[in-house]
DNA sequence: ACAAAGTATACCCAATCGGTACAGTATATA
DNA sequence: TATATACTGTACCGATTGGGTATACTTTGT
């Protein structure tokens, strides 16, 4: 069970942007070089981050990217969800029809998984990009 | 980010075995039918569980499977790891060489991910198959 | 008008997932 | 001791996902 590589790159990109003066634009190319991320792939990831309202993009000659909100307002959970969608943990947490036993409500495994997912989400949400740098 | 289907089946199989009198053998076929798991696939999963010391197998005419230890001694983490290996969360947690920034030790993202993984592991380890049934 | 940025869509190869097939081995019982 | 029954091991298979690239296009500052 792991996060995918795109998510890792997204973490790095957002972390990089968090270290910049508020509102400063940076081209994808520079982020890519600094963070050693394939440029084309990074552009794709940045589009997801933009769609999720984490990053703002500006086109044209001196365009680039900047954070759409304060680093403190962006959590690791936000980034994960922007890139790979919500954490599912298990098919049957998403679609009860997928549960081949089909008695979700009184399935103790389901209950445990539900609670584990919740813990994981909370944990991811507890890290914001302002605090990440410090310590 | 999710657990795979084999792990889900493994949960169900172990849960099923946990509900049986200690030491009672059950054929894979019966587990498969009860839990609606493809038989061949279940057999494969059971081999992983046996290799991990969660389940014991007996061949021959009235063979089958039984838990290798008390339900209380088996956690969801044990089952996850038996089936899909340890939880990695991120490439660079496994192999520092994979970290394209290569300064793992002082990377705040790495530190956060490390801690998140730990929380997840603890959470998974907090559910054992004796308690799952009750409540 | 043109170069420098981002956008959109489509594609590609490799790895993993979910599962099956086949050939083999152990064992209880007739 | 033959045989049916149950597990084992390896190899395979089609579909999906992961990680990334290509191509064509749009926006914008100078």
């Amino acid at each position: 069970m792991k996060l995918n590589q795109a998510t890792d790159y997204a973490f790095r990109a957002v972390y990089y942007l968090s270290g910049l003066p508020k509102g400063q634009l940076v081209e994808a190319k520079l982020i890519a070089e600094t963070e050693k991320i394939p440029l084309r792939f990074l552009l794709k990831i940045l589009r997801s981050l933009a769609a999720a309202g984490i990053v703002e993009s500006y086109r044209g000659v001196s365009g680039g990217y900047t954070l759409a909100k304060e680093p403190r307002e962006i959590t690791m959970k936000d980034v994960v969800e922007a890139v790979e969608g919500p954490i599912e943990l298990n098919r049957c947490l998403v679609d009860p029809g997928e549960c081949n036993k089909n008695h979700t409500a009184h399935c103790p495994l389901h209950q445990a998984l539900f609670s584990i997912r919740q813990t994981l989400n909370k944990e991811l949400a507890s890290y914001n990009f302002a605090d990440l740098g410090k310590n």
Side-chain angles (χ1 to χ4, degrees), chain A:
Chain A
M1 188 161 73
K2 66 174 125 173
L3 297 165
N4 60 35
Q5 188 63 14
T7 302
D8 187 54
Y9 289 154
F11 283 153
R12 292 176 201 283
V14 172
Y15 181 64
Y16 177 89
L17 291 172
S18 294
L20 265 35
K22 186 178 176 177
Q24 177 169 339
L25 288 189
V26 182
E27 317 132 54
K29 195 178 167 210
L30 180 52
I31 305 177
E33 279 163 6
T34 312
E35 298 295 330
K36 308 216 173 78
I37 304 172
L39 175 58
R40 299 314 207 122
F41 195 31
L42 174 61
L43 284 164
K44 187 159 148 183
I45 294 164
L46 284 166
R47 286 202 295 279
S48 304
L49 292 173
I54 291 170
V55 134
E56 272 171 3
S57 67
Y58 295 89
R59 321 223 276 191
V61 168
S62 49
Y65 297 89
T66 187
L67 290 186
K69 34 187 178 176
E70 297 293 326
R72 166 150 274 110
E73 303 300 314
I74 305 171
T75 69
M76 291 182 75
K77 173 168 184 275
D78 297 329
V79 174
V80 170
E81 292 188 340
V83 178
E84 52 186 87
I87 287 178
E88 304 183 352
L89 253 203
N90 191 299
R91 302 228 262 240
C92 68
L93 287 184
V94 186
D95 176 7
E98 288 288 354
C99 185
N100 50 2
K101 293 282 290 183
N102 224 7
H103 50 47
T104 299
H106 34 92
C107 168
L109 286 168
H110 179 99
Q111 287 170 29
L113 288 168
F114 185 86
S115 151
I116 291 163
R117 182 181 62 175
Q118 208 162 348
T119 301
L120 180 53
N121 275 322
K122 274 185 193 152
E123 182 75 7
L124 279 168
S126 78
Y127 291 90
N128 70 66
F129 283 82
D131 292 345
L132 265 184
K134 316 177 175 167
N135 83 314

